[in-house]
Amino acid sequence: MKKKYYIHIIILACLLSVGLTSNAQDTLQLNKLQKQYEQGSDSVKLSILFKIIRSPELDNIDTALSLSFKALDMATRMQDSLSMALAMRSIATYYNILSKNQEALKYDIEALTLIKKYGKASEVSRYLNNIGEDYYNLDLYNEAFDYYSQSLDAAKDAGVELAEVIATYNMGRVLRTMGQNEKAREYILDAMKLSEEIDDLPGIAYAKHDLALIYISESKFDEALAELEQAYVLSDSLREDVLTPQILVKTATAYDHKGDYRNALKNYDKALDIYRSQNNQSGVGESYYGKGNVTLHMGDVKGAKAYYQQCEKIADNLKDNELMINCYSALSNLYERDGDYQNALQYYKKFKQLEDSIFSETKKEQFAQIQIKYETARKDIEIELLNQKEQQQIAKLKNEEFIRNILVVILAFTAVLLFSLYKNNEKRRKINELLIEQQKEIKSKSKELAGLLEMKDKFFSIVSHDLRSPINALVGILDILHEGNLTQQELKDVSLSLKVRLDNTRKLLDTLLDWAMLQMNEIKIQKENIELSKLVESNLAYFREVGDKKIDFINTVKEGQMVSADRNMLDLIIRNLVSNSIKFTDEGGKVEVTTEFGPKKSLIVMIKDNGIGMSTDQMDKLFDTNTLYTTRGTANEKGTGLGLRLCKEFVERMGGNIWVESVEGKGSTFKFTINRA
């Protein structure tokens, strides 16, 4: 027989007044959790709460619900959105068990909102399914089917097979409840087939349970009992505490229909024990109602009456209208059968009053909706009439204004003519001034164009030289390889040298291509959300692999920091700035990429080195758009000067700024701003 565990430990005594007993082994485990809680941070404490909530030993629903609320409070204070969603889901689960489905729906909808913003795509399917379950429990089957369908689509998109099984099963369950047995059977069999493929034993148990319900509705009780027996074996072995008592109730129902009242009562009693242990009053009431039916079928009117009265009391406490209607109807029929017409009439009145009350509430809601529509339509008509009157008044005023305007035009014509002459003189004067300004601008553009042409000639001279050098080196190395006189070590050294030269050539060609596309305005900004830490790490990993200066590359960008930028542009900016830092850093130096928050919603990205630094005059020339400025690095590296110019162009096109801070002999820090996601 399953034991009940009650926990009473100091870490939870300061949080909640809850009590649990445990055996010696559980006490040791809880004492360990207590010590971790007292010494841990808030995140550790929150993790311990979730462990206790998910513990199979915690089978007291009220305690679990209280712990879930405490976890939600703690996650809210920590602003941990994902933990908040997890706590809300836990609260909704226990509210469902307690038949408080409206409260469960509220928390599940809030949890879904958080998951869509901060969670994984695979989790969205699960939370959509939870909302579908809440609507199902509220008997809103169309809404439930819609959310289950959304859950299935999300599961397929995310490639989560288990979520696909659950959504498919639930769609079949809704159709079964709505009486569409054939279509429901298709969905449930599909779900069971998927469960067998992925070895989902709970899914098989649930599918067999619902197949049995279809058989019961078709009066195929032997087939139903066969499916229920297999479902119970699986559910009991898996400790599916929600499903197991439901299977027992349906098994009792099938036996009752077959006339096997002993087995029917036996299964109702087993279900009743489980529901009591779970404090599931709705399940307890349902079990009493079922036992009353079986007892009545056995001819024990007094016993049936007692069970119905217990069911009535529970239904009244829970305000479970459906259960109360069943109890009132059963007691009315029972008293009528027993000849007690006064009590029969009394319960019949209760039955009709409750039924009429539910019907009345529905009608009131419908009437309120009709009244709202009527009021809206009436206001629209009134607004339309007011608009028509306003248009008529406007037309009248326009006619009067037209007559006045004719008089004004006649009187003003002469003044306008004189004013036109004056304006023409002013216009000619402004045109002359504009021509002078345009001439100055043409001279300025000519000077700028001359500078660009000079820069182009210098650029192609550099490119011609830098391309010829690695190609000549490549030809020489190939000649040596052809002669075949190299040792293994010499071949390795030559290969490394060739790799470095070709890599430098590739980077030169990449920079040239980007520069050419920029001049032709062919580069279009395509912004997306990018995790900056991963992008930086991919670039640093590349430099670690190809670098020969033994530089220590450090990435201190916070994981999960998202920015909004063009991926290719941002990649080129980081690559060029890191390459520039390497160039002017001595062997064994350090290059670090880090960030800090900038003004408004910007992020400042910083590339620091402890290299040779630069003078104020060098910093002034660094981002000059009219010249290509370059110097040799610490290992005599050469450059074209295009890299930093491209960085400036790309940063400014994405709405940011770039600058450098440096002290000679102490290193440099290149900084640029970019929008946070």
Side-chain angles (χ1 to χ4, degrees), residues 619-633:
M619 287 191 285
D620 292 339
K621 295 179 181 178
L622 211 56
F623 296 110
D624 190 348
T625 58
N626 295 320
T627 60
L628 286 174
Y629 179 76
T630 182
T631 58
R632 291 183 178 270

Side-chain angles (χ1 to χ4, degrees), residues 161-212:
E161 292 177 326
L162 181 58
E164 186 177 345
V165 169
I166 294 171
T168 303
Y169 159 76
N170 282 331
M171 291 171 73
R173 185 164 59 113
V174 172
L175 291 170
R176 174 190 58 73
T177 307
M178 296 171 71
Q180 301 180 32
N181 284 350
E182 290 307 316
K183 198 65 179 176
R185 201 191 317 267
E186 291 179 16
Y187 277 97
I188 293 170
L189 288 173
D190 285 344
M192 187 161 64
K193 183 179 178 182
L194 289 170
S195 294
E196 290 170 349
E197 290 176 358
I198 64 174
D199 199 25
D200 169 32
L201 298 181
I204 296 172
Y206 274 96
K208 287 184 173 294
H209 166 264
D210 275 67
L211 283 176

Side-chain angles (χ1 to χ4, degrees), residues 22 34 40 60 74 142 164 168 199 243 286 417 430 451 461 548 556 567 590 592:
S22 64
Q34 173 188 350
N60 185 288
M74 186 174 292
N142 289 329
E164 186 177 345
T168 303
D199 199 25
L243 178 62
E286 182 185 359
L417 182 62
K430 290 182 178 180
S461 173
D548 56 357
T556 59
R567 183 177 293 276
K590 180 177 72 172
E592 178 184 2

